[in-house]
Amino acid sequence: MTATIDGGRRHARPPSPRRHTRLKSVILHGVVLLLSTWVVVPLLFALVGGFKDNGQLSTNPFGLPAPWVPENYTSVLVSGSFWRQLFNSVFIGIATTLIVVVLSAMAAFVFARFAFRGRELIYTLFAMGLMFPFAVAILPLFVLLRTFGLLDNPLGVILPQAAFGVPMTVIVLRAFFRTIPREVEEAATIDGCTSFGFFWRILLPMARPALATVSVLAIVASWNNFFLPLVVFNDPNWWTLPLGVQQFYGQYSSDTARILAYVVLAMVPALAFYAVAERQLIGGLTAGASKG
């Protein structure tokens, strides 16, 4: 802050807007760098630690391996159980996402474009699903799945995951569908388009950013789900990657380096999916914010 003298009086000159903007940018970049370090350092530790043996982890936990031990990774990659768990996670995640998106899109279309008695009450019931903790439902859900013979069956995980994923997806898609002008629907009706035709041919293509966003959220929630597969699957042939990590840790609890290698390889598909879907996710969130 500088000062000027005017008639014997000293006037303080306020800081320039450019300096204030620069300071704000430095602080913001510092916070981002700190958060990035908080995330990246454990990942690098696990990645490098997977190339060590237990002796190196004890004596040199943060240094480079000397020598490198790639057998920790290769032993996991040649294991049939790892690839089977990866396939199970992908299959269950894709199936869950398809059910969630298809059902939620149709329900959100009805809630957004049709007026009928009890619409807001039914929509409120959907919204109340967000306040229902998954852990509270696990006991009656287990009894229900056992009654229908869905234990050790992928449908025993897919259907409950879809049911718990529908409320949030309906809320997101309904808000997006309501931003589509009525004039578009009226023009489609004049051209002879039915309600389902408008939904399928016009509304869904216009809602691709929102559909991509909810699809990413649904598949990530399914991929990270541990509790439900733990309850449903007793057969190791249907275990997903989160269950595989727990089982591998229990089997090799004394071999920390091999556990780190397994954890890193289990994270690779999720990180690759994030890298591919990042643009769609950000684009959907940005479109929703700009249209809201």
Side-chain angles (χ1 to χ4, degrees):
M1 183 178 294
T2 60
T4 59
I5 299 176
D6 183 13
R9 296 182 179 179
R10 184 178 294 270
H11 299 280
R13 181 180 299 173
S16 63
R18 181 178 298 178
R19 182 180 301 176
H20 178 72
T21 302
R22 187 181 304 167
L23 178 61
K24 185 177 180 180
S25 177
V26 170
I27 295 176
L28 180 61
H29 282 78
V31 173
V32 172
L33 181 61
L34 181 63
L35 294 177
S36 301
T37 303
W38 184 267
V39 174
V40 171
V41 168
L43 295 179
L44 290 177
F45 176 80
L47 177 63
V48 176
F51 286 101
K52 300 179 180 180
D53 54 31
N54 292 323
Q56 295 183 56
L57 284 175
S58 301
T59 58
N60 186 23
F62 298 105
L64 293 177
W68 292 74
V69 186
E71 289 79 9
N72 292 328
Y73 286 97
T74 56
S75 63
V76 176
L77 291 176
V78 300
S79 172
S81 60
F82 173 80
W83 295 105
R84 184 168 57 249
Q85 293 159 9
L86 176 62
F87 172 80
N88 293 339
S89 293
V90 172
F91 170 70
I92 292 174
I94 292 177
T96 300
T97 302
L98 288 176
I99 295 175
V100 168
V101 173
V102 170
L103 295 182
S104 300
M106 292 189 292
F109 173 65
V110 173
F111 287 135
R113 315 300 294 193
F114 292 90
F116 55 90
R117 181 176 299 178
R119 181 185 67 173
E120 296 304 320
L121 176 61
I122 299 175
Y123 178 74
T124 302
L125 293 178
F126 272 89
M128 288 176 61
L130 297 176
M131 300 182 291
F132 193 66
F134 179 80
V136 174
I138 195 63
L139 180 58
L141 182 60
F142 174 80
V143 175
L144 187 64
L145 294 175
R146 184 178 61 183
T147 302
F148 285 97
L150 293 179
L151 296 180
D152 280 330
N153 188 320
L155 290 177
V157 175
I158 294 171
L159 295 180
Q161 284 186 160
F164 279 90
V166 163
M168 174 60 75
T169 310
V170 167
I171 292 174
V172 173
L173 292 181
R174 186 207 190 200
F176 194 93
F177 289 166
R178 295 184 72 173
T179 63
I180 306 300
R182 284 284 180 181
E183 290 76 9
V184 176
E185 185 175 0
E186 293 172 357
T189 303
I190 293 175
D191 290 340
C193 192
T194 62
S195 296
F196 182 78
F198 169 73
F199 167 74
W200 182 256
R201 299 177 183 177
I202 300 176
L203 193 62
L204 288 184
M206 295 180 68
R208 283 178 182 173
L211 294 174
T213 301
V214 296
S215 298
V216 171
L217 296 177
I219 198 169
V220 168
S222 173
W223 186 275
N224 293 331
N225 196 347
F226 170 78
F227 195 25
L228 183 60
L230 178 65
V231 173
V232 174
F233 294 140
N234 290 319
D235 185 0
N237 291 324
W238 280 113
W239 284 357
T240 57
L241 272 179
L243 292 182
V245 171
Q246 184 209 36
Q247 180 270 339
F248 195 85
Y249 175 78
Q251 183 177 358
Y252 299 98
S253 57
S254 60
D255 194 346
T256 306
R258 183 175 293 189
I259 293 173
L260 290 177
Y262 192 96
V263 171
V264 169
L265 290 176
M267 288 190 302
V268 167
L271 295 176
F273 175 75
Y274 272 118
V276 173
E278 177 187 8
R279 181 175 299 179
Q280 295 292 335
L281 180 60
I282 295 177
L285 295 176
T286 305
S290 62
K291 291 178 177 294

